[in-house]
Amino acid sequence: MEKTGVSAEQIERVSQMEAALVRLNDAIATVEDALDTYEQMWDDYRALDSYYSGKAWWEDLDADNQGLLPEDLPRGVLSEDAAYDALGNAEALRERLKETAQSAQ
């Protein structure tokens, strides 16, 4: 049975809004997953910040400079730039999230 009284414009509108609903729900799920990761990230941030700003980092750097650490030990954390940049990037991300939340209101 053919339905009457519905315009092509209405059908197109419903189709567009259905697509918008699907995209919105997908985006929400993606952002929620990312926020879960972001929240967990701060434990690593605090640990790295404490390590990098404390005595242990200097002791480990000195041991590396003396060749005392195993050659196959990954040691990117002993690069001043790597730790500094990661901590700075985390802070920049925090600021971006604040700005994004404020602009969404």
Side-chain angles (χ1 to χ4, degrees), residues 1-101:
M1 170 184 245
E2 188 175 312
K3 295 184 181 183
T4 59
V6 176
S7 69
E9 182 180 303
Q10 284 178 300
I11 292 170
E12 179 63 22
R13 183 174 54 236
V14 170
S15 179
Q16 288 176 352
M17 291 302 102
E18 179 66 19
L21 176 63
V22 169
R23 287 191 307 270
L24 179 60
N25 282 329
D26 288 348
I28 290 168
T30 299
V31 171
E32 284 179 340
D33 289 345
L35 284 174
D36 289 344
T37 300
Y38 175 80
E39 289 171 346
Q40 294 166 4
M41 170 193 87
W42 289 103
D43 290 338
D44 288 334
Y45 174 93
R46 285 184 285 279
L48 181 60
D49 185 45
S50 177
Y51 172 70
Y52 181 65
S53 63
K55 180 177 149 186
W57 184 85
W58 290 102
E59 291 172 350
D60 295 345
L61 179 63
D62 186 49
D64 187 41
N65 288 336
Q66 292 180 42
L68 301 175
L69 297 179
E71 287 185 29
D72 62 344
L73 178 68
R75 58 176 50 76
V77 72
L78 297 179
S79 160
E80 288 183 59
D81 290 342
Y84 180 85
D85 289 348
L87 294 169
N89 289 339
E91 287 296 334
L93 179 58
R94 181 194 319 239
E95 189 60 34
R96 181 179 176 196
L97 284 171
K98 284 180 189 177
E99 290 171 3
T100 299

